[in-house]
Amino acid sequence: MSENIKRKISEIKYQELIKFFLPLAVMPIIIGVSHNAVNASLARLPFPEITLAVYAVSKSITNIIKSPIHMSRQTVTSLVDDQSSFKFVSSFIFGLGVLYFLMIASLGYTPLGEIVFKKIIGLKDPQEIKFAYQALSIMAFIPLVESIRNIMQGLAISLKKTELITPGVVVRIISISLILLWVTVNQAVAGVTAASGVWFAGIAIEMIFITFALRYTFGSFRGKNGVLASLPNNVTKKVNLKRIIKFFIPIAVMAFLARFVQPVVQSGIVRSSIGTHDLAAYGVSWTLVMIFVGPLDQLHQCSLVYARELNNHNWQRILKFSLAAGTMVSFILAVLAFTQIGDFVLIKLISVSPAISSIVKKVIVAFIFFPIIRAFRETFWGVMMQRQTTNIIAAAKIVGLVFVVLVFLILALTVEINAAIIAALALTAGEAADALTISFFIIKNNVLEKIYAENH
């Protein structure tokens, strides 16, 4: 017992945090590359315009429906610490996967799909509707494999074995690249079928790899020294169905609502500007910013997984580590915004016009503090997930979304600046409101002090 207590309050080293976080940070970048590879291949297949458009629409529908499943890793990490809790949580998450499968399948295999495609989405061409059916009939199976993959990745994160995740993601991108190369050369498969198929296959590959990697590393899942027996005692409250639902619903709603932020912002840009230059510049800016900011979304795993090792000193280490990561990303954005490197990336690599490039660099300036704020927020998110108080996370997110809308409206009505820049400032303000709301709750309620006391 004394060794266990000593381990819990031992000093967390920066090297340990880097080793834990780096595989998680690399994961969204590699996955982003795979999505770009799919789009590039679709442009080289028959009916490229229709294929790209229908695939984008089908992918958006699928992502909106299954968006809550993205929070399943955090659910496993926060609630699973033994075989009993694993059974409860994994059954719940896979059950959600089945539900989302049925919802998407109802669009991909029944006449309901045609109603949605025509009446809601606005697809009219028979070829477009045919492609949409083909895409969703394959995408329907994605929630099933994604739920299992996220369960296994959540276990790896709890066990601080994040290095087991990266090889599976690398195998995914290699496999997808080979499949897309074959499809592009032979032109034997319809574009939406190929794109939807490799999306499903990529996640399935990750699922298989991480499952076998865990089994190989620990020998078994349920044995004496297996995966479940090796899980740390991080769960603060007994797990049952009611507690799973209480934990999961707020962050699931948050994930669902977050899908609508960009459409709302883009709609505001369209209404506040003449022509499409501002919208195009914002689209390029947001894509470029999120390439670097995306990895910061995994920082909450540090404060979540290391919660049982927190004292004031270790908390300060995790917070400084997170803020350092955010500062590095802000520095990268500053380089893109203020140096010729930005022009090279935008004009030479992305191939936007000099006029658009000039606006994009100004928008990136407005986003410069966004990464630091995101890193700060994610660190506090992890604490609240460990405390199983995700309702506070959801409330803070709602406050952030309200601030996005209010700040956009106020600036659009009072200041004569580019609408894309206003959008960037509004999103940064919303992120700050989210971060300040949750940090205020933690400080006011002495949450960290309670964790320190429990750990001692």
Side-chain angles (χ1 to χ4, degrees):
M1 179 66 73
S2 59
E3 291 180 358
N4 195 35
I5 294 174
K6 183 179 180 180
R7 181 191 66 78
K8 288 180 181 177
I9 61 173
S10 62
E11 182 183 38
I12 298 174
K13 300 185 182 301
Y14 287 119
Q15 298 95 314
E16 184 180 357
L17 290 173
I18 292 171
K19 181 182 177 182
F20 173 82
F21 175 69
L22 196 57
L24 298 176
V26 170
M27 180 171 60
I29 296 175
I30 297 177
I31 292 174
V33 170
S34 71
H35 290 315
N36 289 329
V38 169
N39 291 333
S41 298
L42 290 179
R44 293 171 172 81
L45 293 171
F47 310 107
E49 293 85 4
I50 295 177
T51 298
L52 282 166
V54 172
Y55 176 69
V57 168
S58 303
K59 186 177 177 182
S60 295
I61 292 172
T62 301
N63 277 330
I64 288 173
I65 292 174
K66 72 177 184 67
S67 55
I69 211 76
H70 295 162
M71 307 308 295
S72 49
R73 291 189 196 91
Q74 294 89 330
T75 305
V76 171
T77 307
S78 301
L79 299 181
V80 174
D81 67 347
D82 57 22
Q83 187 167 324
S84 176
S85 57
F86 174 76
K87 181 179 179 180
F88 266 114
V89 174
S90 60
S91 298
F92 177 80
I93 292 173
F94 186 71
L96 287 176
V98 173
L99 174 64
Y100 301 142
F101 160 74
L102 294 173
M103 292 172 67
I104 300 170
S106 69
L107 301 178
Y109 290 96
T110 74
L112 178 62
E114 187 170 0
I115 296 173
V116 172
F117 303 148
K118 286 183 176 180
K119 303 296 183 182
I120 299 178
I121 307 300
L123 300 180
K124 297 178 181 178
D125 188 284
Q127 185 78 341
E128 293 175 345
I129 294 173
K130 178 184 175 183
F131 282 171
Y133 266 117
Q134 289 177 357
L136 289 177
S137 65
I138 298 172
M139 292 180 183
F141 293 91
I142 289 176
L144 299 176
V145 292
E146 187 171 354
S147 61
I148 300 174
R149 181 202 67 178
N150 289 357
I151 290 168
M152 295 302 159
Q153 288 183 345
L155 291 175
I157 292 168
S158 287
L159 292 162
K160 301 177 185 175
K161 293 290 184 181
T162 53
E163 69 273 12
L164 299 179
I165 296 175
T166 307
V169 181
V170 173
V171 172
R172 167 183 175 168
I173 188 65
I174 293 173
S175 302
I176 284 177
S177 299
L178 292 174
I179 294 171
L180 290 174
L181 178 63
W182 178 84
V183 170
T184 304
V185 171
N186 291 278
Q187 308 251 328
V189 181
V192 289
T193 302
S196 305
V198 296
W199 188 15
F200 168 79
I203 296 175
I205 289 169
E206 283 188 78
M207 176 198 72
I208 294 169
F209 189 94
I210 187 62
T211 302
F212 278 98
L214 283 170
R215 187 177 182 85
Y216 176 80
T217 303
F218 292 91
S220 67
F221 274 91
R222 292 182 169 83
K224 184 177 180 181
N225 297 312
V227 173
L228 300 179
S230 302
L231 287 169
N233 183 24
N234 281 342
V235 181
T236 57
K237 302 172 184 176
K238 182 175 175 59
V239 174
N240 52 42
L241 182 59
K242 181 180 177 180
R243 193 163 296 284
I244 294 172
I245 293 173
K246 184 179 179 181
F247 177 91
F248 186 80
I249 293 299
I251 56 175
V253 171
M254 178 195 70
F256 181 75
L257 292 177
R259 291 284 174 183
F260 296 94
V261 174
Q262 288 306 309
V264 169
V265 169
Q266 291 163 359
S267 176
I269 294 173
V270 171
R271 295 174 183 274
S272 305
S273 58
I274 301 173
T276 58
H277 273 59
D278 292 353
L279 185 60
Y282 174 78
V284 173
S285 305
W286 179 250
T287 301
L288 195 58
V289 166
M290 288 311 295
I291 288 174
F292 300 105
V293 173
L296 301 180
D297 290 345
Q298 302 297 323
L299 281 170
H300 66 268
Q301 297 286 7
C302 295
S303 49
L304 170 56
V305 171
Y306 285 91
R308 280 303 189 194
E309 299 173 41
L310 286 187
N311 51 29
N312 184 60
H313 175 75
N314 285 342
W315 166 252
Q316 292 298 325
R317 286 226 157 180
I318 291 176
L319 185 59
K320 288 176 182 177
F321 173 80
S322 298
L323 292 177
T327 302
M328 288 176 60
V329 175
S330 290
F331 176 77
I332 293 172
L333 297 186
V335 170
L336 293 173
F338 295 114
T339 71
Q340 295 299 313
I341 294 175
D343 291 318
F344 174 78
V345 171
L346 293 166
I347 298 173
K348 299 296 183 182
L349 297 183
I350 303 180
S351 299
V352 302
S353 67
I356 297 292
S357 174
S358 176
I359 301 174
V360 169
K361 293 180 75 173
K362 293 176 182 177
V363 176
I364 292 175
V365 171
F367 271 125
I368 278 182
F369 291 107
F370 186 87
I372 299 175
I373 299 170
R374 173 65 62 89
F376 180 82
R377 185 206 72 183
E378 286 289 328
T379 308
F380 284 94
W381 268 22
V383 173
M384 298 312 295
M385 287 181 181
Q386 193 275 337
R387 303 302 291 178
Q388 298 182 22
T389 49
T390 53
N391 56 317
I392 305 302
I393 295 176
K397 173 57 69 176
I398 292 172
V399 171
L401 294 177
V402 171
F403 263 77
V404 170
V405 175
L406 289 178
V407 171
F408 190 98
L409 289 174
I410 292 170
L411 292 179
L413 293 172
T414 60
V415 183
E416 291 292 329
I417 58 175
N418 187 284
I421 298 175
I422 291 176
L425 292 172
L427 284 169
T428 302
E431 196 76 8
D434 184 349
L436 290 174
T437 300
I438 195 167
S439 60
F440 175 76
F441 176 88
I442 288 174
I443 293 169
K444 182 181 179 181
N445 292 277
N446 299 316
V447 173
L448 289 171
E449 287 73 12
K450 292 176 182 176
I451 294 176
Y452 303 159
E454 289 174 4
N455 289 347
H456 281 281

